[in-house]
Amino acid sequence: MKKTNKIYQNYDISLLALIRWVNSEYEENVAKKTTKNKILNQRAVRSVLKILSMNNGISQNDLAREVHLKGSTISIALTKMENEELIKRVESDSDKRKVNVFLTAKGYDLMKETDALVESVEEEMLVGLSESEKYELKSTLRKILLNC
């Protein structure tokens, strides 16, 4: 165990502080494991890939809401992804003000890599938890999200 994690074992800290700490460790571990596709170091990019893999062709505005990003932030992430040929933006036929976002074949391939990366990091971070503990943790975190 890392020395810095001992702080969280010795003091009574808030649940949300623990969640932030775990997220910070997760992002650090993802960055360490990301070797060839540094674009995956960006949480927004990983989130966009995941949402588009489940809902390809979603509008840019709906995508921003799904990944909890402001319009300007999602636009920057999508421009980077478009430059990498991971996505394409297409003007809607029915509403010219609306832009739909689609994964490209290269984007789908990177999504597979992302899933493997996330699974690997998650596996390492959840060592020592039983399947029922993992299920309970996931269930509890979902309940917290419903309150947000």
Side-chain angles (χ1 to χ4, degrees), residues 99-115:
V99 174
N100 296 324
V101 185
F102 296 87
L103 277 178
T104 63
K106 188 175 176 182
Y108 274 112
D109 289 344
L110 190 59
M111 182 60 229
K112 291 175 192 168
E113 184 179 326
T114 303
D115 280 344

Side-chain angles (χ1 to χ4, degrees), residues 13 29 53 74 82 88-89 95 100 128 130:
I13 62 165
N29 287 329
S53 74
I74 193 77
E82 209 166 27
K88 65 178 179 178
R89 291 186 263 196
D95 184 348
N100 296 324
S130 68

Side-chain angles (χ1 to χ4, degrees), residues 61-140:
N61 288 338
D62 289 345
L63 180 60
R65 274 191 294 281
E66 287 289 325
V67 296
H68 304 286
L69 294 173
K70 295 177 186 172
S72 58
T73 305
I74 193 77
S75 185
I76 291 168
L78 292 178
T79 298
K80 287 179 184 177
M81 294 176 77
E82 209 166 27
N83 290 342
E84 295 285 328
E85 299 176 347
L86 301 173
I87 58 129
K88 65 178 179 178
R89 291 186 263 196
V90 178
E91 190 178 90
S92 171
D93 291 334
S94 60
D95 184 348
K96 299 299 180 194
R97 297 168 298 173
K98 189 174 169 183
V99 174
N100 296 324
V101 185
F102 296 87
L103 277 178
T104 63
K106 188 175 176 182
Y108 274 112
D109 289 344
L110 190 59
M111 182 60 229
K112 291 175 192 168
E113 184 179 326
T114 303
D115 280 344
L117 173 69
V118 167
E119 188 177 312
S120 170
V121 170
E122 186 175 295
E123 195 174 289
E124 288 175 10
M125 291 182 72
L126 298 179
V127 165
L129 293 180
S130 68
E131 289 305 312
S132 65
E133 287 172 320
K134 291 174 189 177
Y135 176 83
E136 281 300 315
L137 177 59
K138 192 182 254 187
S139 177
T140 301

Side-chain angles (χ1 to χ4, degrees), residues 8 11-25 137 140-148:
Y8 288 95
Y11 298 102
D12 184 27
I13 62 165
S14 76
L15 177 61
L16 294 179
L18 270 173
I19 291 170
R20 280 192 307 272
W21 186 270
V22 168
N23 187 59
S24 175
E25 290 292 323
L137 177 59
T140 301
L141 290 172
R142 283 186 171 142
K143 286 179 185 177
I144 292 170
L145 280 174
L146 287 173
N147 294 329
C148 297

